[in-house]
Amino acid sequence: KAMCSGKLQTGLLVAGYFIYLLVGAAVFQALERTAEKQEKIAAAQMKEAFLQSFTHLTVAEMEQFMKNLTEAIQNGVYPVGNESQTEDSNWDFSNSFFFAGTVVSTIGYGTLHPKTAGGQIFCVFFALFGIPLNIVFLHRVGKMLSLLCKKLGKFLYEKGMTKKKIKFLTLLFFLATGILVFLCLPSLFFQITEGWSYSEGIYFAFITLSTIGFGDYVVGKQPDRIYFSYYRTLVAIWILFGLAWIALLFNL
Amino acid sequence: MLLAAYVGYVGLGAGVLQALERPAEVQAAQHLLQQHWELLANHTCLRGPGLQRLIEGIIQAYKSGITLQGNTTSLGRWDFSGSFFFSISAITTIGYGNLSPSTAAGRIFCILFALFGIPLNLVVLNEIGQLMLLGVQQCARRLEELFHRQKKASLLIKTCALVTGLLLFLLLPPLLFSDKEGWSYEEGFYYSFITLSTIGFGDYVIGMNPDHTYPGWYKNVISLWILFGMAWLALVIKFCINFLE
């Protein structure tokens, strides 16, 4: 009988999972479809306008040019401005380090990704050992953070609080400070350094720390901005501690 | 100590990737610039600002996930199938990014959706993983009864399970992908691993090629593969971690 109820539970869980996915899909579709249509119309109009001002370009040549351009952009080469752009590489050491970090943390933004077969195979094996290493590492950092929590709990216990209240309070404290330090404050920071709105900053912080990492927002990638030299390193440290905080949250 | 190893590991990876990717990138950049100049040379009326605006427009469109080839078409990306796949990519934390919400409401909903969806996903993956483990243990027990050699049977079953998982989730799917997507085997393998590990760059995504037709069962089978494959890979990584610690 116990076996039966266990199987039923699993079945319900799986069904709930798929229903959750279906509901999400419907909502996303409803929210995004019209915006997408408008973007497409705008893009087509732009194309038309361009063709009209340069009428001796045949449509075929235009298509070819656009295709080449799109390919270049997909490869992370943005041909805006002058050729001085080719001196900055996407694969300089600082960027490669950041990339390697996004691999082992499984964030995987994708704005930078290996295109050579060798790079891709290396990436697979690098991640195979890097991801467990990352998890173990975060575990340790999380343990250090939890020691702080225990100290707080001990302090409160000596002041005469019940254990239940202590547990609740430490959880609340942990949650609140974490949200402040890892979500709210960084978003303010990004407002200044990236020019994003506050809500875009929160969205970026959430998508990064949850390791979803869409890559629609990435730090340090605006071509018209200057970043101070340890910017990306600072952001990497934030990501590291933020991930450890989340891992700890799950343990609590 | 662990910190040093971690940073060292990441730095090592960075160095290797840089060495592997930089030359190809330089080549691509030069190629594009050459085309750029050729185009300008062939059509001397194309002036800087107009061309610049076009390029910026294309970059903008690309970031919104729109490619400007052919006639902009009826191929909606936020149709139900696309949105479903997007939901999967969000709660599994794969996060391809080839499709991502551009409206503020979409983004807020995405955060909330993932906030509850990710734990749900973890629980489901855990359940599936436990079921797999149970199945393997039952097989091991049966084999023990048959052969009366406990240690050997257990090891045999575990290797068998690992190899089957490897075949089913990492080695065979690339064949399917090379047929349906036109990728090379290596690219299919790379895609499989990047997906199942939830890294999900989004440089390769199934079902996105406008020149291919995909059978109806394709996306659904892939979704199942992602689910079970992730559970399997999570088990493998768990074993790796136990080994490390």
Side-chain angles (χ1 to χ4, degrees), chain B residues 114-227:
Chain B
L115 201 58
F116 297 103
I118 293 175
L120 173 63
N121 180 70
L122 288 173
V123 169
V124 171
L125 283 186
N126 201 28
E127 280 290 318
I128 295 180
Q130 298 289 33
L131 282 173
M132 286 182 175
L133 213 57
L134 225 86
V136 170
Q137 281 166 350
Q138 274 179 349
C139 277
R141 222 166 288 157
R142 278 218 196 120
L143 223 75
E144 271 168 38
E145 288 169 16
L146 268 170
F147 291 114
H148 303 286
R149 282 170 178 272
Q150 197 188 27
K151 258 188 181 171
K152 241 185 178 178
S154 167
L155 192 64
L156 185 66
I157 282 293
K158 284 199 177 133
T159 355
C160 229
L162 188 68
V163 172
T164 336
L166 210 65
L167 268 171
L168 209 61
F169 298 118
L170 280 178
L171 296 176
L172 289 179
L175 293 172
L176 174 67
F177 295 137
S178 77
D179 176 47
K180 293 273 179 271
E181 303 285 342
W183 299 335
S184 74
Y185 185 82
E186 177 269 324
E187 290 174 319
F189 176 75
Y190 169 73
Y191 166 77
S192 304
F193 183 85
I194 293 297
T195 297
L196 295 185
S197 62
T198 79
I199 296 176
F201 289 130
D203 47 355
Y204 295 88
V205 184
I206 58 137
M208 283 285 140
N209 199 329
D211 311 321
H212 286 187
T213 43
Y214 301 101
W217 50 265
Y218 187 58
K219 271 196 168 165
N220 297 327
V221 167
I222 298 298
S223 305
L224 283 174
W225 163 72
I226 290 178
L227 200 66

Side-chain angles (χ1 to χ4, degrees), chain A residues 189-234:
Chain A
F189 182 64
F190 292 134
Q191 242 183 323
I192 303 170
T193 58
E194 298 284 341
W196 296 332
S197 73
Y198 189 72
S199 62
E200 287 177 316
I202 297 260
Y203 172 74
F204 165 76
F206 180 84
I207 295 295
T208 297
L209 292 184
S210 61
T211 79
I212 295 179
F214 285 131
D216 46 359
Y217 292 88
V218 185
V219 294
K221 271 283 162 186
Q222 315 262 28
D224 48 343
R225 284 179 166 258
I226 308 173
Y227 302 98
F228 65 91
S229 43
Y230 288 103
Y231 180 59
R232 276 196 145 185
T233 318
L234 201 65

Side-chain angles (χ1 to χ4, degrees), chain A residues 17 20 25 29 32 36 40 47 56 63 65 81 89-91 106 115-116 120 126 134 211 216-217, chain B residues 6 9 18 21-22 25 39 45 52 68 70 75 77-78 83 87 93 100 102-103 107 113 121 186 198:
Chain A
Y17 183 76
Y20 193 81
Q29 183 179 6
E32 293 292 322
E36 180 189 37
K40 279 191 174 168
K47 196 173 165 185
H56 61 283
E63 290 293 331
F65 177 64
S89 165
N90 281 319
W91 288 103
T106 78
K115 277 158 222 88
T116 64
Q120 288 171 346
F126 183 70
N134 180 69
T211 79
D216 46 359
Y217 292 88
Chain B
Y6 185 75
Y9 187 80
Q18 183 182 5
E21 291 293 319
R22 191 77 184 265
E25 179 195 33
L39 187 72
C45 71
Q52 209 70 329
L68 286 168
L75 188 70
R77 289 143 47 80
W78 285 105
S83 308
S87 303
T93 77
S100 64
S102 56
T103 64
R107 287 202 279 259
F113 185 69
N121 180 70
E186 177 269 324
T198 79

Side-chain angles (χ1 to χ4, degrees), chain A residues 133-141, chain B residues 1-8:
Chain A
L133 176 61
N134 180 69
I135 295 179
V136 168
F137 178 74
L138 287 182
H139 215 210
R140 287 288 173 85
V141 177
Chain B
M1 173 58 69
L2 191 55
L3 176 68
Y6 185 75
V7 174

